[in-house]
Amino acid sequence: MSLIAEQSAGRHQPGELAPTAAELADARSRFGAPGRNAVVMTMGALHEGHATLIRAARERVGADGFVVVTVFVNPLQFGAGEDLDRYPRTLDADLALAFAAGASVVFAPSADEVYPGGEPQVRITAGPMGERLEGASRPGHFDGMLTVVAKLLHLTGPDLAFFGQKDAQQLALIRRMVRDLNFPVEIVGVPTVREDDGLALSSRNRYLSPEERHTALALSRALFAARDRLAAQAALRARADALLGDPGRAENRAEALSRLGEARAAADAHAVAQAAEGRGAEAVRAAARAVLDDACHAEPPLALDYLALVDPADFTEVEDGHDGEAILAVAARVGTTRLIDNIPLTFGVVK
């Protein structure tokens, strides 16, 4: 079934809906794309965050490239009591958004097409990283996610695959799978897209009442508070280093920070002390937790699942004194809606 859509690359191309792998292969052969191939995997209910991924894919492969957007609500990713049946299906709107953003083909298979004969007996296992945070809250979720991503990579055969950084643990696991199992594809992470009020774009946002949405803003506010605390810590340490002057002097950074605190009546003594001791990770967690604790007493309340400051390589908690990249991740429920968010942070100087 063919639809005509104006591509974001500035030309007109046939935008096709392919419900089967055979139709996808046929569309690719007829497209005759001389450029590179890219895929954006989604579960539908597309929004501006997905459009950003599709535009990024189109930009990377160019006007002559081939961009596949997959729309498949994967049953393997939903555990008992989760919202598989409730998950929104909006294929007509998805097609319009995907083609306007630059998709060549939307591959929207049925469950029988992806899993002929029922759920697969052989699956990808996420390993220890898949048992932490989201994996602990949703057992088996990442095994199901990696299984379908592996299948879709085989079916779409891309040079590049684009995923949002909002699902940071998912992105890290996909990168690990591709590296460990030698998939010939480059995984590209795209920064989280947020609404004007800071809430990370999600298909589940539509379930929030106005009052629940107000409470849900605590997730992004907590992350931003942590980011600001880290920046303040770094500024204090930099000012202390500037006070040190001659490195041969006996005065150390802690003493310099103490003098800064004494010199400024409005200084945050706790922040000064933590900056002096290199306790950046603890301060970052505390800043985020304070915002979330307030939201837990709001009406309606936020029910915190986890707040974690982790190493992006394996999603283990980082300790105080950590230097390098980290991810501050949060998950919570507001009403019946579960939301996740995260923000990348850099501690110290990354060499």
Side-chain angles (χ1 to χ4, degrees):
M1 184 168 98
S2 178
L3 301 171
I4 303 299
E6 184 173 353
Q7 302 294 306
S8 62
R11 61 179 187 153
H12 286 76
Q13 288 292 344
E16 297 193 20
L17 170 62
T20 68
E23 288 170 287
L24 173 62
D26 179 66
R28 189 196 304 277
S29 65
R30 285 187 286 101
F31 188 87
R36 293 192 295 174
N37 299 331
V39 66
V40 175
M41 299 183 190
T42 83
M43 292 208 301
L46 304 189
H47 50 63
E48 181 57 27
H50 298 107
T52 299
L53 292 172
I54 299 166
R55 287 193 291 267
R58 173 54 64 193
E59 182 177 357
R60 280 290 300 273
V61 303
D64 292 329
F66 190 72
V67 177
V68 179
V69 174
T70 69
V71 174
F72 178 62
V73 182
N74 178 30
L76 300 189
Q77 291 176 232
F78 291 80
E82 292 191 330
D83 53 358
L84 173 61
D85 293 335
R86 186 184 177 210
Y87 198 87
R89 275 88 166 166
T90 57
L91 184 57
D92 289 343
D94 293 345
L95 294 173
L97 183 148
F99 295 142
S104 306
V105 171
V106 171
F107 178 45
S110 66
D112 289 339
E113 178 71 16
V114 177
Y115 303 122
E119 292 188 0
Q121 295 185 38
V122 177
R123 308 187 187 193
I124 301 291
T125 299
M129 196 196 319
E131 297 171 358
R132 300 173 185 134
L133 301 187
E134 284 299 290
S137 297
R138 307 175 65 190
H141 167 74
F142 285 127
D143 292 356
M145 179 275 294
L146 290 178
T147 297
V148 79
V149 168
K151 292 204 68 164
L152 290 173
L153 286 174
H154 288 311
L155 290 170
T156 60
D159 302 299
L160 307 106
F162 291 75
F163 297 90
Q165 292 176 0
K166 173 179 170 289
D167 297 297
Q169 193 172 3
Q170 169 180 284
L171 176 58
L173 282 162
I174 291 169
R175 282 180 164 147
R176 188 70 193 223
M177 178 185 74
V178 164
R179 181 169 66 251
D180 288 353
L181 302 184
N182 299 102
F183 279 78
V185 61
E186 177 186 347
I187 303 300
V188 182
V190 178
T192 300
V193 178
R194 298 185 180 278
E195 301 194 41
D196 291 341
D197 57 10
L199 190 67
L201 278 174
S202 169
S203 301
R204 291 189 169 99
N205 290 354
R206 68 186 68 195
Y207 300 144
L208 297 169
S209 70
E211 295 78 15
E212 290 171 340
R213 183 186 176 89
H214 181 75
T215 296
L217 292 176
L219 272 71
S220 56
R221 287 203 311 267
L223 298 177
F224 299 155
R227 178 194 60 193
D228 293 345
R229 173 55 65 91
L230 181 60
Q233 295 272 79
L236 278 171
R237 293 169 72 94
R239 292 181 63 202
D241 287 342
L243 280 182
L244 287 174
D246 183 355
R249 291 173 58 190
E251 184 181 38
N252 60 29
R253 178 187 281 124
E255 291 168 342
L257 281 167
S258 178
R259 290 205 296 117
L260 278 174
E262 293 169 359
R264 295 177 59 213
D268 179 348
H270 183 61
V272 170
Q274 290 192 322
E277 298 168 14
R279 294 164 59 197
E282 181 180 330
V284 161
R285 290 186 185 97
R289 193 175 295 112
V291 176
L292 296 169
D293 285 347
D294 285 344
C296 289
H297 297 94
E299 186 54 47
L302 178 144
L304 183 63
D305 188 345
Y306 62 76
L307 172 70
L309 183 64
V310 298
D311 186 328
D314 58 9
F315 271 67
T316 57
E317 289 274 358
V318 304
E319 298 180 355
D320 275 334
H322 173 77
D323 276 340
E325 302 297 332
I327 292 173
L328 183 63
V330 61
R333 288 187 182 276
V334 182
T336 60
T337 304
R338 187 174 185 276
L339 300 171
I340 63 172
D341 203 350
N342 72 85
I343 192 169
L345 299 172
T346 302
F347 290 80
V349 178
V350 180
K351 297 180 176 61

